[in-house]
Amino acid sequence: MYPFEGLFSLLVLSLVLETQALTPTHHLTTTDVARLQALLSQPFTDLKSAYYSVVGLSKLGISVADAATCRFIKSNLDPSSVESLFFAAEASQALPGCEIPVSNDTRDLLLATVSEDSTASQIHQSVSALSSLGLPLASQEVVSALKARISKEDNVLTIILALQTASRLSQQAELGEILEEIEDLAARLDDLGGVYLQFEEGLEATALFVSAAYALSDHVDMEPPIDQVIQLVNSIFSKKSWDSLSEAFSVASAAESLSSNRFHVPIIVSAQGPAAISHSQPFLRLQVTNVLCKPLSSASVLVESATATSSKSAILSQAPFTLRDGVFELNFMASQPASGYYQFSVAIAGDSRFVANHVELKVKVSTRVSINNMDLSVVDKDQSIGPKTTRVEYPAKAKASFMADSHQIFAMTFQLVDETTGVELTPHQTFVRLHNQKTGQEVVFVAEPDSKNLYKFELDTTERKTEFDSISGTYALYLMVGDATLENPILWNVADVVLKFLDEEAPSTIQAKTLYTPKPEIQHLFILPEKKPPTVVSNEFTALVLSPFLLLLILWFKLGANISNFTLSPSTVLFHIGHAAMLGLMYVYWTHLNMFQTLKYLAIIGSFTFLAGNRMLAQKAVKRLVDNLAAKLL
Amino acid sequence: MSNSVISVISRFLEEYASSTPNKLKVIDAYLLYIMMTGALQFLYCLLVGTFPFNSFLSGFISCVGSFILAVCLRIQINPQNKGEFLSISPERAFADFLFAHTVLHLVVINFIG
């Protein structure tokens, strides 16, 4: 049993620590609070808006001591309406010296409303009115009516109203069951990404829940089972302009309850201005306030650790902030930190109610840079002539200009140090810019530090001639030094350099690149027909190809081929006609027809020719056989 | 050496003229005609160029196809080959020849463009 308990408490502790590590991402700033106040201070038109304004402002700590308001409330009061009585009673309670006259009928009306048949809203209003007007009420009846109401209507608003009503009852009543509703209701909140926690009914419901839950918890002096206070803070205070008086009122109530309840007080830690420190501003200033932006003077702020983000070495440990004019400050420069970024882990103590009292901050330490030992020289490539170094002091410019042609290299070395401490620095941006004043061309190079943090820049004219487009001339040399942690970025015209390039290919004046001028028109070339041989040649060859036919006829004649066996039987004639027709069809196909038509005609003529031919050949075969037989017999 | 070649050729021609039946000689003349036509077409293509290539191909294939079909006809008609073509009478061979030519010419005309 005991080991399990131990494990359970360890789990709870880890969960608690986890939630405590979360800090509010949204909170009201002083301008937001002023805006809320302005919205609530608008002139009111009816009793309801008067109630919201007066009570809302009182929650923000601003009391409206106005006789006119009291008169307004009294004149607009309708004694026969429970709602009207509620608004008037609550508003007059917030106004000092404003008393609402109460008659017996009013009291009876209010007492009669406390029953199971009234809505939760009516019960809430009558109980609040009775309590504000100082009239006695029967707490137990109220509790049972509320319980019945909750079991009939299980929605969020009903339970919130029940919680609010219960906080007005006497402490002797049995509020245990209603108190349990806080936990059930908290379980109904929607978690959005672990950052926001709100009801789907919206901002007003969430804010009213917070104020009701803490009001009841304070009333019975029991810690509410709400452990995600910061997420609730994020949800309620993420909206910075409010649509209606009731929404503004709910936010004001929630803010008030979160800043002054007995159990959980979320604190908001923010740096005053940017979290940046320099020699001119050595103090890191933090504002520690509650959700209503009221500074918490009872708090004591301590830096648990301050580590450099680059080297991870701890600079400070357990250093306290001092309170001055409501702002906590720490002289960080006294620890002589090097420039860069530091991760601060700050703890706020002083009250056990504080929630989100561990904050992580990123602090920047800036410094001023100074350039030492700027040496410029022109070195011969073959090192035959020793370099003459000219030293230039910032912000002066070198008197003589430097000449470098294709045989020489222009070199520059310098050191960047912290102005106050003399520590060498390596800023992010160290550029060398060469600007040709005549043509407006500029080329930028990067100067790199070597292992001893000495910056070197070398310009070899032959190597770099493409960047310069081989344009010779006088170039103004600038050194640009910049970094996020430098307070004084530098742009220094160090010297003038005359560069001479070989093979000056570029034109003497540079024209703007002709990128957007019309290009030469492309003429479309249609496909040229293939080269054909001259017609004479083809005609000659056609005759030549047809000439062997003559040869054939001659040969056949010589061989004695004849048509003497040509019988004029009908099948023979028809066959020959059909065959000729087929050949004619071939010609017509070549000139006019397509394959389908040809096949159609061919089928007709062909079948006809086939029949005739078959007949003819059969006759011929018979004749041949008869002749053979006759020859054999003879 | 050339002497023997000449004597072989002259002997061959003599034999051919005497022992070949007339029908076969007629077909041989036709074969010669076809061959010359094809050769002349090929010569044109070599000399002048292959434009239009499809026409050249169709003409050339027509010659080649006709030559082959005529050779087949000659083989089938030759009385010395009668033993191998018992089921095919000369008339039948001629009919086949005509049919095959029809198909050949259909394709040739289609391709000639």
Side-chain angles (χ1 to χ4, degrees):
Chain A
M1 185 131 134
Y2 288 103
F4 284 111
E5 272 185 23
L7 275 174
F8 179 74
S9 58
L10 193 67
L11 186 69
V12 169
L13 186 69
S14 62
L15 278 173
V16 164
L17 282 176
E18 225 179 63
T19 51
Q20 280 200 335
L22 187 69
T23 53
T25 48
H26 296 280
H27 58 89
L28 295 176
T29 60
T30 38
T31 40
D32 298 325
V33 175
R35 201 181 306 124
L36 186 61
Q37 189 184 327
L39 181 60
L40 288 169
S41 311
Q42 279 175 348
F44 28 82
T45 49
D46 61 356
L47 195 55
K48 183 168 178 177
S49 49
Y51 158 70
Y52 282 135
S53 297
V54 172
V55 182
L57 285 171
S58 75
K59 297 230 189 245
L60 289 178
I62 299 151
S63 64
V64 182
D66 199 346
T69 320
C70 198
R71 274 199 300 274
F72 179 85
I73 293 170
K74 284 189 196 164
S75 56
N76 283 40
L77 169 62
D78 174 14
S80 57
S81 149
V82 175
E83 195 180 53
S84 175
L85 283 165
F86 163 70
F87 289 142
E90 293 289 300
S92 66
Q93 177 88 333
L95 289 170
C98 191
E99 295 277 343
I100 306 280
V102 179
S103 68
N104 275 355
D105 295 326
T106 321
R107 191 193 57 195
D108 292 335
L109 172 66
L110 290 172
L111 283 170
T113 323
V114 179
S115 81
E116 285 178 18
D117 307 313
S118 326
T119 64
S121 166
Q122 285 173 323
I123 300 175
H124 166 243
Q125 284 166 349
S126 51
V127 169
S128 308
L130 283 167
S131 154
S132 301
L133 293 170
L135 298 169
L137 51 81
S139 298
Q140 209 49 43
E141 266 182 50
V142 177
V143 171
S144 48
L146 284 174
K147 277 197 260 193
R149 209 68 238 159
I150 290 172
S151 56
K152 276 192 219 168
E153 277 177 71
D154 198 19
N155 61 12
V156 167
L157 279 169
T158 309
I159 302 177
I160 291 175
L161 287 167
L163 292 173
Q164 282 183 329
T165 317
S167 61
R168 310 299 287 266
L169 301 171
S170 97
Q171 287 172 326
Q172 273 76 41
E174 280 176 27
L175 302 169
E177 277 188 40
I178 300 186
L179 202 62
E180 282 170 13
E181 296 293 334
I182 298 181
E183 195 168 355
D184 295 339
L185 206 54
R188 285 205 221 177
L189 287 159
D190 295 326
D191 189 319
L192 299 173
V195 179
Y196 300 99
L197 195 66
Q198 59 195 45
F199 284 117
E200 63 179 14
E201 283 84 355
L203 171 65
E204 229 181 290
T206 317
L208 286 172
F209 164 69
V210 167
S211 58
Y214 281 103
L216 184 58
S217 304
D218 278 352
H219 190 64
V220 300
D221 204 14
M222 276 180 67
E223 186 171 350
I226 298 173
D227 49 358
Q228 290 177 302
V229 185
I230 301 301
Q231 283 93 325
L232 285 167
V233 166
N234 284 342
S235 301
I236 297 172
F237 300 116
S238 58
K239 192 169 177 185
K240 302 300 173 81
S241 73
W242 303 275
D243 305 322
S244 62
L245 263 182
S246 60
E247 199 174 42
F249 173 75
S250 64
V251 171
S253 317
E256 191 265 335
S257 58
L258 281 173
S259 49
S260 58
N261 71 75
R262 282 203 277 240
F263 303 100
H264 303 142
V265 174
I267 47 174
I268 292 160
V269 179
S270 53
Q272 199 182 43
I277 295 173
S278 60
H279 283 286
S280 50
Q281 257 191 321
F283 286 97
L284 176 65
R285 293 196 167 85
L286 291 182
Q287 276 182 316
V288 178
T289 64
N290 60 14
V291 292
L292 274 175
C293 276
K294 299 256 168 38
L296 296 167
S297 28
S298 64
S300 65
V301 184
L302 191 74
V303 177
E304 286 193 338
S305 68
T307 51
T309 39
S310 47
S311 59
K312 305 264 186 290
S313 59
I315 310 287
L316 278 185
S317 184
Q318 309 291 333
F321 277 72
T322 48
L323 176 62
R324 197 154 65 120
D325 297 331
V327 176
F328 289 89
E329 57 180 36
L330 174 75
N331 188 345
F332 189 44
M333 279 318 257
S335 337
Q336 295 189 333
S339 65
Y341 287 92
Y342 291 86
Q343 192 74 12
F344 271 57
S345 179
V346 179
I348 297 104
D351 197 325
S352 57
R353 295 177 300 166
F354 287 158
V355 182
N357 53 355
H358 276 268
V359 183
E360 300 278 318
L361 281 176
K362 196 163 174 183
V363 179
K364 177 171 88 169
V365 176
S366 331
T367 182
R368 294 177 63 85
V369 70
S370 75
I371 307 178
N372 285 357
N373 309 334
M374 167 66 87
D375 289 326
L376 303 166
S377 55
V378 177
V379 185
D380 225 49
K381 269 198 201 170
D382 33 338
Q383 300 276 320
S384 55
I385 309 171
K388 317 179 271 121
T389 344
T390 315
R391 172 151 297 190
V392 192
E393 292 292 331
Y394 177 73
K397 184 169 158 174
K399 289 189 210 56
S401 57
F402 293 82
M403 216 62 137
D405 60 14
S406 54
H407 303 295
Q408 289 153 335
I409 298 178
F410 174 77
M412 194 164 89
T413 58
F414 56 93
Q415 265 186 319
L416 296 171
V417 294
D418 190 326
E419 211 175 53
T420 39
T421 60
V423 172
E424 284 150 359
L425 293 176
T426 48
H428 287 157
Q429 298 164 336
T430 44
F431 300 136
V432 176
R433 172 175 172 247
L434 288 140
H435 182 215
N436 186 333
Q437 266 126 359
K438 222 171 9 138
T439 60
Q441 192 195 19
E442 70 174 21
V443 186
V444 181
F445 298 101
V446 178
E448 309 249 328
D450 63 10
S451 52
K452 291 196 284 267
N453 283 343
L454 180 72
Y455 278 88
K456 271 203 178 70
F457 168 67
E458 280 184 1
L459 179 62
D460 184 347
T461 42
T462 29
E463 246 183 75
R464 300 284 186 196
K465 67 175 185 203
T466 43
E467 273 100 338
F468 287 92
D469 273 344
S470 300
I471 297 174
S472 309
T474 312
Y475 287 83
L477 186 98
Y478 291 87
L479 176 68
M480 305 198 291
V481 177
D483 192 87
T485 57
L486 286 184
E487 282 192 317
N488 59 336
I490 291 175
L491 175 66
W492 178 22
N493 185 356
V494 184
D496 284 329
V497 181
V498 180
L499 295 173
K500 275 207 175 35
F501 294 96
L502 287 176
D503 325 320
E504 194 153 328
E505 294 133 1
S508 52
T509 53
I510 297 183
Q511 298 141 335
K513 292 227 167 55
T514 54
L515 192 62
Y516 299 109
T517 54
K519 295 242 174 23
E521 195 180 330
I522 304 171
Q523 296 290 352
H524 179 76
L525 281 175
F526 289 99
I527 300 175
L528 297 167
E530 274 196 43
K531 244 189 72 169
K532 280 196 276 206
T535 332
V536 182
V537 177
S538 5
N539 287 345
E540 267 186 34
F541 266 96
T542 314
L544 198 63
V545 163
L546 290 173
S547 60
F549 189 62
L550 279 167
L551 177 69
L552 178 71
L553 289 174
I554 294 168
L555 278 174
W556 274 355
F557 181 68
K558 274 190 82 177
L559 283 170
N562 50 34
I563 51 171
S564 52
N565 270 346
F566 195 79
T567 52
L568 272 164
S569 67
S571 47
T572 320
V573 172
L574 284 173
F575 166 75
H576 279 98
I577 292 173
H579 193 230
M582 270 166 56
L583 291 175
L585 178 68
M586 286 295 140
Y587 176 76
V588 175
Y589 175 33
W590 183 35
T591 49
H592 294 122
L593 303 174
N594 62 31
M595 179 66 104
F596 300 105
Q597 292 165 316
T598 315
L599 282 177
K600 190 173 63 179
Y601 294 133
L602 192 66
I604 302 167
I605 302 175
S607 48
F608 167 76
T609 314
F610 170 74
L611 289 169
N614 199 18
R615 231 357 191 356
M616 179 195 83
L617 285 172
Q619 287 172 350
K620 265 215 127 87
V622 165
K623 192 157 164 267
R624 180 173 56 84
L625 285 171
V626 164
D627 284 343
N628 274 358
L629 215 58
K632 266 205 190 139
L633 285 173
L634 289 171
Chain B
M1 201 54 202
S2 54
N3 239 359
S4 53
V5 171
I6 291 173
S7 62
V8 164
I9 290 174
S10 57
R11 183 82 205 286
F12 166 71
L13 285 172
E14 258 180 57
E15 281 272 346
Y16 177 76
S18 53
S19 58
T20 325
N22 228 15
K23 261 196 184 156
L24 294 183
K25 278 193 191 155
V26 164
I27 295 179
D28 287 341
Y30 175 71
L31 283 172
L32 183 69
Y33 152 67
I34 292 288
M35 195 162 72
M36 282 192 70
T37 314
L40 282 169
Q41 282 184 18
F42 193 68
L43 183 74
Y44 170 83
C45 181
L46 278 180
L47 287 180
V48 185
T50 59
F51 181 79
F53 196 50
N54 58 319
S55 311
F56 159 67
L57 276 181
S58 111
F60 194 66
I61 293 294
S62 162
C63 291
V64 169
S66 306
F67 189 85
I68 292 167
L69 289 172
V71 164
C72 289
L73 180 67
R74 189 186 192 278
I75 291 173
Q76 287 178 340
I77 282 182
N78 197 347
Q80 288 174 331
N81 291 341
K82 209 154 176 198
E84 285 165 43
F85 295 106
L86 281 173
S87 59
I88 303 175
S89 61
E91 286 75 27
R92 171 71 198 281
F94 187 66
D96 286 344
F97 173 79
L98 286 180
F99 176 69
H101 256 284
T102 312
V103 173
L104 176 68
H105 278 94
L106 196 67
V107 172
V108 160
I109 299 292
N110 185 34
F111 199 52
I112 205 161

